[in-house]
Amino acid sequence: MSNASKVVVVTSGKGGVGKTTTSANISTGIALQGKKTVAIDFDVGLRNLDLVMGCERRVVYDFVNVLRNEAKLQQALIRDKRVENLYVLPASQTRDKDALDPEGVGRIIEELKQMGFEYIICDSPAGIEKGAQMAMYFADEAIVVTNPEVSSVRDSDRVLGLLAAKTSRAELGGPAIRTHLLLTRYSPMMVKRGEMLSVGDVLELLGIPLLGVIPESKAVLQSSNKGAPAILDETTDVAQAYLDVVYRYLGQERQHRFIEEEKRSFFGRLFG
Amino acid sequence: MAFFDYFRKAPKTATLAKDRLSIIVARERAGTRSGPDYLPQLQQELLAVIARYETIDLGHVTVNLDKSGGCEVLELNIVLPDAPPPPPPRPSQPAHA
Protein backbone atom coordinates (compact mmCIF):
# COMPACT_ATOMS: atom_id res chain seq x y z
CA MET A 1 0.00 0.00 0.00
CA SER A 2 2.87 2.28 0.84
CA ASN A 3 4.02 2.35 -2.76
CA ALA A 4 0.57 3.34 -3.99
CA SER A 5 0.54 6.55 -1.95
CA LYS A 6 0.99 9.87 -3.68
CA VAL A 7 2.23 12.99 -1.96
CA VAL A 8 0.88 16.07 -3.71
CA VAL A 9 1.89 19.62 -2.78
CA VAL A 10 -0.48 22.48 -3.54
CA THR A 11 1.78 25.50 -3.90
CA SER A 12 2.04 28.90 -5.57
CA GLY A 13 4.57 31.27 -4.04
CA LYS A 14 2.13 34.13 -3.93
CA GLY A 15 -0.48 34.28 -1.21
CA GLY A 16 -4.21 34.56 -1.72
CA VAL A 17 -4.35 32.77 -5.05
CA GLY A 18 -6.39 29.82 -3.82
CA LYS A 19 -4.02 27.19 -2.41
CA THR A 20 -6.15 26.38 0.61
CA THR A 21 -9.38 26.47 -1.40
CA THR A 22 -7.78 24.12 -3.91
CA SER A 23 -6.39 21.79 -1.24
CA ALA A 24 -9.82 21.58 0.41
CA ASN A 25 -11.67 20.95 -2.84
CA ILE A 26 -9.23 18.51 -4.39
CA SER A 27 -8.83 16.43 -1.23
CA THR A 28 -12.61 16.33 -0.81
CA GLY A 29 -13.07 15.42 -4.47
CA ILE A 30 -10.50 12.63 -4.38
CA ALA A 31 -12.02 11.22 -1.18
CA LEU A 32 -15.46 11.30 -2.83
CA GLN A 33 -13.98 8.91 -5.39
CA GLY A 34 -13.35 6.45 -2.59
CA LYS A 35 -9.65 7.11 -2.11
CA LYS A 36 -8.36 7.44 1.43
CA THR A 37 -7.11 11.02 1.52
CA VAL A 38 -5.54 13.37 4.02
CA ALA A 39 -5.03 17.12 3.66
CA ILE A 40 -2.12 18.48 5.69
CA ASP A 41 -1.96 22.17 6.56
CA PHE A 42 1.69 23.26 6.40
CA ASP A 43 0.92 26.88 7.25
CA VAL A 44 2.27 26.72 10.78
CA GLY A 45 1.27 29.81 12.72
CA LEU A 46 -1.51 30.71 10.29
CA ARG A 47 -3.64 27.62 9.99
CA ASN A 48 -6.76 27.96 7.89
CA LEU A 49 -7.40 24.69 6.13
CA ASP A 50 -9.42 23.52 9.17
CA LEU A 51 -11.66 26.58 8.85
CA VAL A 52 -12.19 26.22 5.11
CA MET A 53 -13.02 22.55 5.60
CA GLY A 54 -15.31 23.27 8.51
CA CYS A 55 -13.56 21.25 11.22
CA GLU A 56 -11.97 24.08 13.20
CA ARG A 57 -13.87 23.24 16.37
CA ARG A 58 -12.60 19.70 16.39
CA VAL A 59 -8.89 20.56 16.42
CA VAL A 60 -7.31 19.15 19.57
CA TYR A 61 -3.81 18.21 18.53
CA ASP A 62 -1.89 19.42 15.50
CA PHE A 63 0.97 18.64 13.14
CA VAL A 64 3.62 20.09 15.45
CA ASN A 65 2.29 18.15 18.47
CA VAL A 66 2.80 14.97 16.47
CA LEU A 67 6.26 16.07 15.31
CA ARG A 68 7.27 16.58 18.93
CA ASN A 69 5.72 13.33 20.11
CA GLU A 70 3.20 15.21 22.24
CA ALA A 71 0.39 13.38 20.50
CA LYS A 72 -0.10 10.39 18.27
CA LEU A 73 -0.84 10.91 14.62
CA GLN A 74 -4.23 9.22 15.07
CA GLN A 75 -5.13 11.75 17.76
CA ALA A 76 -4.32 14.73 15.56
CA LEU A 77 -6.07 13.50 12.41
CA ILE A 78 -9.60 14.87 12.07
CA ARG A 79 -12.05 12.66 10.22
CA ASP A 80 -14.36 14.64 7.96
CA LYS A 81 -18.01 14.37 8.97
CA ARG A 82 -19.42 14.69 5.47
CA VAL A 83 -17.07 12.66 3.34
CA GLU A 84 -15.86 9.19 4.10
CA ASN A 85 -12.14 8.54 3.63
CA LEU A 86 -11.26 12.20 4.18
CA TYR A 87 -9.02 13.41 6.99
CA VAL A 88 -7.42 16.72 7.91
CA LEU A 89 -4.13 17.21 9.75
CA PRO A 90 -4.27 20.77 11.07
CA ALA A 91 -1.27 23.07 11.41
CA SER A 92 -0.21 24.48 14.72
CA GLN A 93 -1.56 27.94 15.38
CA THR A 94 0.92 28.83 18.08
CA ARG A 95 4.35 27.96 16.75
CA ASP A 96 6.43 29.33 13.94
CA LYS A 97 7.51 27.79 10.66
CA ASP A 98 10.81 26.66 12.15
CA ALA A 99 8.86 24.06 14.08
CA LEU A 100 8.98 21.89 10.95
CA ASP A 101 12.05 19.87 10.10
CA PRO A 102 12.61 17.44 7.22
CA GLU A 103 13.17 14.39 9.44
CA GLY A 104 9.95 14.93 11.38
CA VAL A 105 7.87 15.74 8.33
CA GLY A 106 9.29 12.71 6.53
CA ARG A 107 8.44 10.47 9.47
CA ILE A 108 4.81 11.67 9.56
CA ILE A 109 4.37 11.26 5.81
CA GLU A 110 5.79 7.75 6.03
CA GLU A 111 3.40 6.95 8.87
CA LEU A 112 0.44 8.25 6.84
CA LYS A 113 1.49 5.99 3.98
CA GLN A 114 1.64 3.03 6.37
CA MET A 115 -1.88 3.90 7.54
CA GLY A 116 -3.06 3.36 3.98
CA PHE A 117 -3.56 6.93 2.82
CA GLU A 118 -3.56 6.92 -0.97
CA TYR A 119 -3.38 10.68 -1.42
CA ILE A 120 -1.50 13.00 0.91
CA ILE A 121 -2.30 16.57 -0.04
CA CYS A 122 0.13 19.15 1.37
CA ASP A 123 -1.33 22.66 1.56
CA SER A 124 1.70 24.95 1.34
CA PRO A 125 2.00 28.31 3.04
CA ALA A 126 2.67 31.33 0.82
CA GLY A 127 6.24 32.40 0.15
CA ILE A 128 9.32 30.42 -0.76
CA GLU A 129 10.82 30.14 2.70
CA LYS A 130 11.14 27.17 4.99
CA GLY A 131 7.43 26.41 5.45
CA ALA A 132 6.83 26.30 1.71
CA GLN A 133 9.97 24.23 1.19
CA MET A 134 8.89 21.74 3.84
CA ALA A 135 5.49 21.38 2.17
CA MET A 136 7.09 20.51 -1.17
CA TYR A 137 10.07 18.53 0.08
CA PHE A 138 8.55 15.04 -0.04
CA ALA A 139 6.18 15.65 -2.95
CA ASP A 140 5.75 13.27 -5.84
CA GLU A 141 3.56 15.75 -7.68
CA ALA A 142 2.86 19.46 -7.46
CA ILE A 143 -0.24 21.45 -8.27
CA VAL A 144 0.90 25.00 -8.94
CA VAL A 145 -2.02 27.34 -8.30
CA THR A 146 -1.76 30.51 -10.37
CA ASN A 147 -3.96 33.53 -10.99
CA PRO A 148 -3.89 35.11 -14.46
CA GLU A 149 -2.03 38.08 -13.05
CA VAL A 150 1.61 39.21 -13.32
CA SER A 151 2.85 38.75 -9.76
CA SER A 152 1.23 35.34 -9.41
CA VAL A 153 2.71 34.06 -12.68
CA ARG A 154 6.15 35.31 -11.76
CA ASP A 155 5.98 33.70 -8.31
CA SER A 156 4.75 30.44 -9.79
CA ASP A 157 7.79 30.39 -12.02
CA ARG A 158 10.03 30.83 -8.99
CA VAL A 159 8.25 27.98 -7.24
CA LEU A 160 8.79 25.75 -10.28
CA GLY A 161 12.50 26.48 -9.91
CA LEU A 162 12.36 25.42 -6.25
CA LEU A 163 10.45 22.25 -7.09
CA ALA A 164 13.22 21.34 -9.50
CA ALA A 165 15.99 22.00 -7.00
CA LYS A 166 15.01 21.95 -3.35
CA THR A 167 13.06 18.76 -2.93
CA SER A 168 13.89 15.25 -1.86
CA ARG A 169 13.54 14.01 -5.43
CA ALA A 170 15.85 16.72 -6.74
CA GLU A 171 18.43 16.12 -4.04
CA LEU A 172 18.40 12.34 -4.31
CA GLY A 173 18.36 12.47 -8.10
CA GLY A 174 14.98 10.77 -8.42
CA PRO A 175 12.52 11.37 -11.25
CA ALA A 176 11.43 15.01 -11.44
CA ILE A 177 8.29 16.02 -9.57
CA ARG A 178 5.29 16.01 -11.91
CA THR A 179 3.94 19.53 -12.06
CA HIS A 180 0.41 20.62 -12.96
CA LEU A 181 -0.90 24.11 -13.55
CA LEU A 182 -4.20 25.08 -11.98
CA LEU A 183 -5.35 28.48 -13.15
CA THR A 184 -7.79 29.99 -10.66
CA ARG A 185 -9.97 33.11 -10.53
CA TYR A 186 -10.22 33.07 -14.30
CA SER A 187 -12.58 35.44 -16.04
CA PRO A 188 -13.22 34.48 -19.67
CA MET A 189 -15.02 37.76 -20.19
CA MET A 190 -11.99 39.83 -19.20
CA VAL A 191 -9.72 37.62 -21.26
CA LYS A 192 -11.92 38.20 -24.28
CA ARG A 193 -11.64 41.94 -23.77
CA GLY A 194 -7.85 41.67 -23.51
CA GLU A 195 -7.88 42.68 -19.86
CA MET A 196 -6.57 39.44 -18.41
CA LEU A 197 -3.81 36.98 -19.34
CA SER A 198 -5.36 34.05 -21.18
CA VAL A 199 -4.87 30.42 -20.26
CA GLY A 200 -2.72 30.12 -23.38
CA ASP A 201 -0.53 33.02 -22.28
CA VAL A 202 0.07 31.51 -18.85
CA LEU A 203 0.77 28.06 -20.30
CA GLU A 204 3.28 29.56 -22.68
CA LEU A 205 5.00 31.48 -19.89
CA LEU A 206 5.18 28.65 -17.36
CA GLY A 207 5.52 25.70 -19.71
CA ILE A 208 3.81 23.05 -17.57
CA PRO A 209 0.70 21.02 -18.41
CA LEU A 210 -2.72 22.40 -17.57
CA LEU A 211 -4.71 20.53 -14.92
CA GLY A 212 -7.68 22.87 -15.04
CA VAL A 213 -9.17 26.32 -15.00
CA ILE A 214 -11.32 27.47 -12.08
CA PRO A 215 -13.54 30.43 -12.92
CA GLU A 216 -13.76 33.48 -10.70
CA SER A 217 -16.90 32.87 -8.70
CA LYS A 218 -18.83 34.02 -5.69
CA ALA A 219 -19.31 30.39 -4.77
CA VAL A 220 -15.77 30.24 -3.36
CA LEU A 221 -16.51 32.82 -0.68
CA GLN A 222 -19.91 31.29 0.00
CA SER A 223 -18.34 27.92 0.60
CA SER A 224 -15.60 29.21 2.89
CA ASN A 225 -18.28 31.13 4.83
CA LYS A 226 -19.99 27.81 5.42
CA GLY A 227 -16.87 25.75 5.94
CA ALA A 228 -17.97 23.34 3.23
CA PRO A 229 -15.71 22.96 0.17
CA ALA A 230 -17.45 24.19 -2.98
CA ILE A 231 -17.11 20.81 -4.67
CA LEU A 232 -19.83 19.44 -2.37
CA ASP A 233 -22.48 21.59 -4.05
CA GLU A 234 -22.42 20.40 -7.63
CA THR A 235 -24.71 23.15 -8.88
CA THR A 236 -21.97 25.80 -8.94
CA ASP A 237 -19.49 26.41 -11.73
CA VAL A 238 -16.60 26.17 -9.28
CA ALA A 239 -17.75 22.74 -8.12
CA GLN A 240 -18.01 21.58 -11.73
CA ALA A 241 -14.55 22.93 -12.46
CA TYR A 242 -13.00 21.24 -9.41
CA LEU A 243 -14.81 17.98 -10.18
CA ASP A 244 -13.31 18.06 -13.67
CA VAL A 245 -9.90 18.68 -12.12
CA VAL A 246 -10.27 15.70 -9.80
CA TYR A 247 -11.40 13.35 -12.57
CA ARG A 248 -8.62 14.58 -14.81
CA TYR A 249 -6.11 14.18 -12.02
CA LEU A 250 -7.27 10.61 -11.43
CA GLY A 251 -6.71 9.86 -15.09
CA GLN A 252 -10.06 10.42 -16.79
CA GLU A 253 -10.36 12.47 -19.95
CA ARG A 254 -12.29 15.68 -19.40
CA GLN A 255 -12.55 18.57 -21.82
CA HIS A 256 -11.39 21.88 -20.41
CA ARG A 257 -14.31 24.16 -19.60
CA PHE A 258 -14.76 27.69 -18.29
CA ILE A 259 -12.10 28.95 -20.68
CA GLU A 260 -14.47 30.65 -23.05
CA GLU A 261 -17.32 32.95 -22.34
CA GLU A 262 -19.87 30.97 -24.33
CA LYS A 263 -19.36 27.92 -22.22
CA ARG A 264 -19.72 29.94 -19.12
CA SER A 265 -23.03 31.41 -20.13
CA PHE A 266 -24.14 27.94 -21.12
CA PHE A 267 -23.60 26.89 -17.54
CA GLY A 268 -25.06 30.13 -16.35
CA ARG A 269 -28.27 29.14 -18.12
CA LEU A 270 -28.17 25.64 -16.75
CA PHE A 271 -27.42 26.44 -13.16
CA GLY A 272 -27.74 30.17 -12.81
CA MET B 1 -19.36 50.36 -24.64
CA ALA B 2 -17.65 47.04 -24.86
CA PHE B 3 -18.48 46.76 -28.55
CA PHE B 4 -16.47 49.87 -29.40
CA ASP B 5 -13.75 49.10 -26.88
CA TYR B 6 -13.10 45.96 -28.83
CA PHE B 7 -11.90 47.97 -31.82
CA ARG B 8 -9.91 50.53 -29.92
CA LYS B 9 -6.27 50.74 -30.84
CA ALA B 10 -4.78 51.12 -27.36
CA PRO B 11 -2.69 48.05 -26.51
CA LYS B 12 -4.56 45.53 -24.46
CA THR B 13 -3.28 45.30 -20.89
CA ALA B 14 -3.15 41.51 -21.15
CA THR B 15 -0.61 41.90 -23.97
CA LEU B 16 1.47 44.26 -21.85
CA ALA B 17 1.33 41.78 -18.98
CA LYS B 18 2.47 38.94 -21.18
CA ASP B 19 5.33 40.92 -22.71
CA ARG B 20 6.58 42.09 -19.33
CA LEU B 21 6.34 38.60 -17.89
CA SER B 22 8.20 37.00 -20.81
CA ILE B 23 11.16 39.24 -20.08
CA ILE B 24 11.22 38.94 -16.31
CA VAL B 25 10.62 35.20 -16.27
CA ALA B 26 13.39 34.59 -18.81
CA ARG B 27 15.78 36.75 -16.85
CA GLU B 28 15.02 35.11 -13.52
CA ARG B 29 15.34 31.64 -15.01
CA ALA B 30 18.73 32.50 -16.44
CA GLY B 31 19.76 33.77 -13.03
CA THR B 32 18.59 30.84 -10.96
CA ARG B 33 17.16 27.80 -12.57
CA SER B 34 19.61 27.08 -15.34
CA GLY B 35 22.68 28.62 -13.78
CA PRO B 36 25.03 26.25 -12.04
CA ASP B 37 24.80 26.79 -8.31
CA TYR B 38 28.52 26.47 -7.67
CA LEU B 39 29.20 30.09 -8.63
CA PRO B 40 29.09 31.58 -5.11
CA GLN B 41 31.34 28.83 -3.82
CA LEU B 42 33.74 29.26 -6.74
CA GLN B 43 33.89 32.94 -5.90
CA GLN B 44 34.71 32.21 -2.25
CA GLU B 45 37.41 29.71 -3.11
CA LEU B 46 39.04 31.98 -5.67
CA LEU B 47 39.02 34.71 -3.09
CA ALA B 48 40.72 32.47 -0.58
CA VAL B 49 43.46 31.59 -3.06
CA ILE B 50 44.07 35.19 -4.15
CA ALA B 51 44.03 36.39 -0.57
CA ARG B 52 47.15 34.32 0.01
CA TYR B 53 49.04 36.62 -2.38
CA GLU B 54 47.18 39.90 -2.30
CA THR B 55 45.11 41.91 0.10
CA ILE B 56 41.70 41.66 -1.48
CA ASP B 57 38.07 41.47 -0.46
CA LEU B 58 34.90 39.87 -1.74
CA GLY B 59 33.91 42.84 -3.90
CA HIS B 60 37.06 42.47 -5.94
CA VAL B 61 36.20 39.07 -7.32
CA THR B 62 33.17 38.60 -9.53
CA VAL B 63 32.10 35.41 -11.19
CA ASN B 64 29.52 35.54 -13.93
CA LEU B 65 27.98 33.11 -16.30
CA ASP B 66 26.80 34.71 -19.52
CA LYS B 67 24.93 33.14 -22.35
CA SER B 68 25.42 34.52 -25.80
CA GLY B 69 23.90 32.63 -28.66
CA GLY B 70 24.49 28.97 -28.11
CA CYS B 71 27.55 29.29 -25.93
CA GLU B 72 28.14 29.97 -22.28
CA VAL B 73 30.92 32.23 -21.11
CA LEU B 74 32.27 31.91 -17.59
CA GLU B 75 33.66 35.31 -16.78
CA LEU B 76 36.02 35.84 -13.88
CA ASN B 77 36.82 39.39 -12.95
CA ILE B 78 39.50 39.95 -10.37
CA VAL B 79 40.38 43.51 -9.49
CA LEU B 80 43.72 43.82 -7.83
CA PRO B 81 44.26 46.77 -5.51
CA ASP B 82 45.26 49.97 -7.42
CA ALA B 83 48.44 51.04 -5.82
CA PRO B 84 50.42 48.18 -4.54
CA PRO B 85 50.91 48.77 -0.89
CA PRO B 86 54.38 50.13 -0.18
CA PRO B 87 56.73 47.23 -0.37
CA PRO B 88 57.11 45.92 3.07
CA PRO B 89 60.54 46.61 4.37
CA ARG B 90 62.64 43.66 3.59
CA PRO B 91 62.99 41.69 6.65
CA SER B 92 66.39 42.73 7.71
CA GLN B 93 68.69 39.94 8.12
CA PRO B 94 71.42 41.62 9.98
CA ALA B 95 72.63 38.43 11.40
CA HIS B 96 74.30 37.47 8.14
CA ALA B 97 75.66 40.87 7.24
Side-chain angles (χ1 to χ4, degrees), chain B residues 67-89:
Chain B
K67 285 199 185 94
S68 47
C71 89
E72 295 189 348
V73 180
L74 180 64
E75 176 191 285
L76 301 177
N77 195 1
I78 301 164
V79 184
L80 296 174
D82 279 345

Side-chain angles (χ1 to χ4, degrees), chain A residues 246-261:
Chain A
V246 167
Y247 289 132
R248 223 175 267 133
Y249 184 73
L250 295 176
Q252 294 184 29
E253 291 264 329
R254 289 276 157 150
Q255 274 227 308
H256 284 287
R257 298 193 269 169
F258 311 107
I259 291 177
E260 277 162 23
E261 212 178 359

Side-chain angles (χ1 to χ4, degrees), chain A residues 14-137:
Chain A
K14 191 175 186 305
V17 298
K19 283 183 295 297
T20 299
T21 301
T22 296
S23 300
N25 279 291
I26 288 186
S27 55
T28 303
I30 293 176
L32 283 170
Q33 296 303 305
K35 314 274 184 197
K36 193 171 174 187
T37 306
V38 58
I40 309 179
D41 191 347
F42 273 80
D43 205 345
V44 175
L46 287 172
R47 81 163 169 240
N48 277 319
L49 185 62
D50 54 332
L51 206 50
V52 171
M53 294 184 76
C55 61
E56 73 278 5
R57 291 170 61 177
R58 296 164 57 215
V59 175
V60 182
Y61 295 109
D62 60 53
F63 196 2
V64 177
N65 290 138
V66 181
L67 269 175
R68 304 212 166 149
N69 296 312
E70 295 159 359
K72 289 195 172 137
L73 184 52
Q74 286 86 346
Q75 293 175 292
L77 283 172
I78 303 171
R79 174 201 272 265
D80 192 276
K81 286 201 165 159
R82 294 165 296 234
V83 181
E84 219 183 325
N85 302 313
L86 179 60
Y87 294 78
V88 179
L89 182 55
S92 168
Q93 183 67 315
T94 53
R95 326 263 184 138
D96 58 38
K97 292 187 203 303
D98 292 330
L100 302 180
D101 64 278
E103 292 73 28
V105 173
R107 177 171 58 87
I108 292 183
I109 287 182
E110 196 47 47
E111 205 175 324
L112 289 166
K113 288 180 179 177
Q114 296 304 327
M115 288 169 73
F117 280 100
E118 291 166 270
Y119 288 88
I120 300 169
I121 312 291
C122 304
D123 182 22
S124 174
I128 54 171
E129 299 306 318
K130 191 168 179 191
Q133 293 189 16
M134 282 297 104
M136 69 173 62
Y137 193 77

Side-chain angles (χ1 to χ4, degrees), chain B residues 37-95:
Chain B
D37 52 6
Y38 59 73
L39 290 185
Q41 201 191 339
L42 176 62
Q43 185 179 23
Q44 287 294 339
E45 287 177 14
L46 279 170
L47 188 72
V49 172
I50 297 162
R52 282 192 229 145
Y53 302 91
E54 275 287 355
T55 328
I56 197 168
D57 66 45
L58 189 59
H60 291 123
V61 178
T62 54
V63 182
N64 256 319
L65 190 74
D66 273 340
K67 285 199 185 94
S68 47
C71 89
E72 295 189 348
V73 180
L74 180 64
E75 176 191 285
L76 301 177
N77 195 1
I78 301 164
V79 184
L80 296 174
D82 279 345
R90 289 229 145 195
S92 49
Q93 296 170 320

Side-chain angles (χ1 to χ4, degrees), chain A residues 154 157 194 201 204-205, chain B residues 12-14 18 28-29 33:
Chain A
R154 180 198 206 173
D157 194 66
D201 292 339
E204 203 179 305
L205 286 158
Chain B
K12 300 284 197 274
T13 56
K18 191 186 175 193
E28 287 177 350
R29 277 181 199 171
R33 202 185 303 183

